[in-house]
Amino acid sequence: MNEKKVVEIKNLMKSYGTKGFSTKVLKGIDLEICRNDFIAIMGPSGSGKTTLLNILSTIDKPTQGTVLLDGKDITRASNKELSKIRRDKIGFIFQDYNLLDTMTLQDNIVLPLSLNGVPGKTCIKKADELCAMFGLKEHVKKYPYQLSGGQKQRGAACRAFITDPEIIFADEPTGALDSKSGKDLLECLKAANDSGRAAILMVTHDAFSASYAKDVYILSDGQMQCRLSKGSDRKEFYNRIVDMQSSMGGDFSCV
């Protein structure tokens, strides 16, 4: 099947510091992400996971190489173009929710659409659809302080999906959640990806979280070392990820 290519990364390099005293963090990354992909990036401390995520999500720029998002090279885009790309093409899920305490969950979710002038009825309809998928129908009128951590994070995920982005970038989305809340979120992300809503790229140190992805890429010393692909059994995939972690020393904490 010819899947739509959402992101294409070519010879991506990133260095910090000045000439003669620079540190190479990324050393020639090549990667393609298609519309139906759910990818987890893992790696030991200092491997470059966060740097890669920051570049792909337009927060940082590479030293060399290209990043094509929906066919456009975002490394050469103007600030105005990048703002439009973030608004229309990208969704973000952070570890700490980033919900506004003075707004209901529903208002938090529809905020990106409201800021873009989308009619209220359209906003509510889309929010209701996502809240049903993410198990939040009974909580839409509550404020963040009335919600559990898992409910807040699923709300943040709904907000990320509501603009119909090409790709969701998730930075340790289960890092602040207990095991049940983390599993609930991952099940919802998998369902959203399976339904074709968006590609997902997730940075995580957690093998259990990574086992919900379709492919896991291991980043080490600034280079992609290997790719693990899921079969039909998530538990078997989890065991393979754990084995890979062990073979690399087991230190996959997020940096």
Side-chain angles (χ1 to χ4, degrees):
M1 185 173 63
N2 185 23
E3 291 187 60
K4 179 184 177 183
K5 194 182 296 182
V6 175
V7 176
E8 187 174 7
I9 305 162
K10 300 178 180 178
N11 195 32
L12 194 68
M13 299 187 186
K14 180 66 178 181
S15 298
Y16 292 103
T18 57
K19 189 174 181 180
F21 298 94
S22 64
T23 300
K24 292 182 178 180
V25 180
L26 299 178
K27 305 173 184 177
I29 302 294
D30 295 299
L31 182 64
E32 291 184 358
I33 305 173
C34 293
R35 179 73 179 186
N36 293 329
D37 284 345
F38 185 169
I39 290 172
I41 303 289
M42 305 185 73
S45 300
S47 61
K49 303 185 296 295
T50 298
T51 299
L52 177 61
L53 184 67
N54 287 344
I55 292 173
L56 297 185
S57 59
T58 75
I59 295 171
D60 199 0
K61 287 186 177 289
T63 305
Q64 184 177 320
T66 59
V67 179
L68 301 178
L69 175 56
D70 202 21
K72 184 176 183 61
D73 187 356
I74 62 174
T75 65
R76 291 173 172 79
S78 66
N79 288 335
K80 184 177 181 180
E81 289 171 326
L82 287 176
S83 294
K84 190 174 187 301
I85 288 168
R86 293 186 195 108
R87 184 190 71 194
D88 299 337
K89 304 288 186 180
I90 294 174
F92 298 92
I93 304 174
F94 304 99
Q95 183 174 325
D96 55 357
Y97 324 131
N98 289 347
L99 298 179
L100 298 177
D101 292 334
T102 56
M103 300 174 69
T104 65
L105 179 62
Q106 184 180 71
D107 288 340
N108 269 284
I109 292 169
V110 304
L111 183 60
L113 295 183
S114 299
L115 293 174
N116 290 339
V118 176
K121 287 185 178 180
T122 302
C123 293
I124 298 304
K125 181 180 179 182
K126 294 189 72 172
D128 286 347
E129 183 182 344
L130 283 165
C131 285
M133 176 177 283
F134 280 77
L136 294 169
K137 286 183 67 175
E138 298 176 357
H139 305 288
V140 293
K141 297 301 183 182
K142 294 181 180 178
Y143 289 85
Y145 75 89
Q146 297 173 302
L147 302 171
S148 69
Q151 290 163 349
K152 286 188 279 191
Q153 189 65 307
R154 280 181 278 137
C158 290
R159 182 183 56 193
F161 277 99
I162 202 165
T163 58
D164 297 320
E166 296 289 334
I167 187 166
I168 297 287
F169 292 112
D171 187 7
E172 292 285 343
T174 63
L177 303 179
D178 59 57
S179 57
K180 183 184 183 304
S181 297
K183 182 179 179 181
D184 289 344
L185 173 68
L186 292 163
E187 293 281 3
C188 291
L189 291 178
K190 180 180 180 300
N193 174 254
D194 286 343
S195 68
R197 286 188 173 272
I200 299 175
L201 186 141
M202 174 176 64
V203 167
T204 182
H205 71 280
D206 178 48
F208 181 79
S209 295
S211 70
Y212 278 83
K214 294 173 181 174
D215 295 284
V216 175
Y217 287 83
I218 307 298
L219 187 64
S220 181
D221 194 28
Q223 296 177 307
M224 290 296 188
Q225 300 296 335
C226 69
R227 168 186 173 185
L228 304 176
S229 295
K230 184 191 292 183
S232 58
D233 187 340
R234 189 191 61 78
K235 290 183 179 180
E236 184 272 337
F237 190 38
Y238 166 78
N239 289 332
R240 281 192 285 133
I241 297 168
V242 171
D243 289 343
M244 178 56 66
Q245 278 185 300
S246 299
S247 71
M248 298 184 72
D251 179 17
F252 274 35
S253 59
C254 187
V255 177

